[in-house]
Amino acid sequence: MTKNVANIYLKQSICLIAGITLLFLLYMNIWGDNNLMAVPVCVTALFQLLACTTYGIVWKRVCVSSPNSLPVFYMAASGIRIFAGLVTVLVYCFIVRERSAILFFVITFLIYYLIILIFDTWYFIKFEKKLKK
């Protein structure tokens, strides 16, 4: 059951990231400046794909090896994701010196991050309720 739930999480999170990215690409093509927006959207989407994929794979292994430590895993994974996100934003700020590009990157990153955070919270609450039944 847990492997299947982790695989469903991976599929749904990848689809969610792809959907958000398509919405940003649509926005870019209609109203935006492609030169300003392309790199932030790509970097943010890649970060979230890497984070969600890693999260799903490690979650699957934790469920199999020690399911009692899942709450600790949720907290640790969230902390690591926050730290990795901060490092990503700081590296981007050091590489790109243009204020408008940094502002758009931070806004884009926060939108992705909050949507994925809401999805993760909803998904894992739903999973924990199924485990308790």
Side-chain angles (χ1 to χ4, degrees), residues 2-98:
T2 56
K3 286 185 180 181
N4 189 30
V5 172
N7 289 335
I8 292 170
Y9 167 77
L10 285 170
K11 289 175 189 173
Q12 288 181 355
S13 63
I14 290 170
C15 288
L16 179 62
I17 294 166
I20 299 167
T21 304
L22 288 174
L23 288 174
F24 267 105
L25 292 175
L26 179 65
Y27 176 80
M28 283 171 40
N29 285 325
I30 294 174
W31 294 289
D33 178 11
N34 290 343
N35 294 331
L36 175 69
M37 298 178 176
V39 173
V41 170
C42 290
V43 169
T44 303
L46 287 174
F47 172 83
Q48 291 299 339
L49 281 172
L50 179 67
C52 286
T53 304
T54 304
Y55 202 59
I57 291 169
V58 174
W59 181 39
K60 190 186 311 185
R61 290 184 181 164
V62 169
C63 280
V64 171
S65 64
S66 58
N68 292 335
S69 63
L70 280 175
V72 174
F73 166 72
Y74 297 149
M75 292 298 291
S78 295
I80 292 170
R81 182 180 278 183
I82 288 171
F83 181 72
L86 287 173
V87 169
T88 303
V89 170
L90 288 175
V91 167
Y92 187 85
C93 290
F94 285 127
I95 292 173
V96 177
R97 300 285 186 188
E98 190 177 330

